[in-house]
Amino acid sequence: MRKRMGAIAGLLIALMGLFAMAPASGQTSETEYAAALDGLFAELAAAPDPAAAQGISDDIWRLWMEPPDAELAARMASTLELRWRGDVAGLIATLDAVIAEYPDYAEAYNQRATVNFMLGKYDESLADIAATLEREPRHFGALAGRALILKERGEYEQALETMRAALKIHPFLGERALFPELSEDAIEA
């Protein structure tokens, strides 16, 4: 089980690398930002294959990490540097400050949930996942994280239910492989 969780942690680290990709451009207003996310989620739900879904989910992650508020976007960009330097304490402190100043910004909670997951602080991670999903119910990354924690805790039925919810949003999540009964044709509509 520890070996599998190590592999999962490696997958999460690789996913976190997506955040360093080129920034999204043309974000000028909250309305345009929300419309862009809505369009991407519609595309993701209809993605024909894993490659197409990956490209769309990369675009969603970019938008999540680069909100229209310039100050907030700069603060989140600074978290990337802290992550690459391995400054976990600085990363958590920065995310705590972002959450205090921007309490409605879902991705700060998700980022802190990911860090806490990596540190094995599952209760803290689950609390931040709940906060993420309260603000962005379509957050497939947060749902997948919740499923992984529940599975690790032996709460398999809840983990399976959560992964099904995540797959309704992102039908090609890699974490699906951890749940053998979730073949592509087994997802309930």
Side-chain angles (χ1 to χ4, degrees), residues 11 19 32 38 42 44 51 72 75 77 82 100 111 124-125 129 131 152 160-161 163 165 170 173 178 183 189:
L11 173 64
F19 306 143
E32 291 170 336
D38 290 345
L44 183 59
L72 177 55
R75 302 275 299 277
L82 293 166
Q111 291 298 306
E124 291 92 335
S125 185
I129 288 168
E152 175 69 10
L160 191 57
E161 180 181 323
M163 186 53 66
H170 185 326
L173 279 172
L178 299 172
S183 64

Side-chain angles (χ1 to χ4, degrees), residues 58-114:
D58 288 352
D59 290 341
I60 291 170
W61 282 110
R62 279 188 203 101
L63 286 176
W64 280 340
M65 283 298 290
E66 192 173 287
D69 181 296
E71 175 61 28
L72 177 55
R75 302 275 299 277
M76 291 307 290
S78 74
T79 66
L80 297 174
E81 183 179 331
L82 293 166
R83 181 173 291 126
W84 290 118
R85 287 193 325 217
D87 184 354
V88 176
L91 179 57
I92 290 175
T94 300
L95 290 168
D96 287 347
V98 169
I99 288 167
E101 294 175 42
Y102 299 90
D104 294 329
Y105 178 54
E107 192 54 32
Y109 292 94
N110 183 63
Q111 291 298 306
R112 191 171 68 181
T114 301

Side-chain angles (χ1 to χ4, degrees), residues 18 21 29-30 43 56 67 76 101 106 132 134 148 165 168 179 182:
L18 293 174
M21 294 179 166
S29 74
E30 289 287 337
E43 288 179 38
I56 297 163
M76 291 307 290
E101 294 175 42
T132 301
E134 184 179 307
L148 295 176
K168 286 180 183 176
F179 298 87
L182 292 180

Side-chain angles (χ1 to χ4, degrees), residues 5-17 118 148 173-175 178:
M5 289 310 289
I8 293 167
L11 173 64
L12 287 173
I13 290 170
L15 287 174
M16 288 170 22
M118 303 292 287
L148 295 176
L173 279 172
E175 292 86 352
L178 299 172

Side-chain angles (χ1 to χ4, degrees), residues 2 113-125 153:
R2 291 280 175 219
T114 301
V115 174
N116 282 323
F117 174 86
M118 303 292 287
L119 295 173
K121 296 180 177 181
Y122 294 157
D123 289 336
E124 291 92 335
S125 185
R153 288 184 162 184

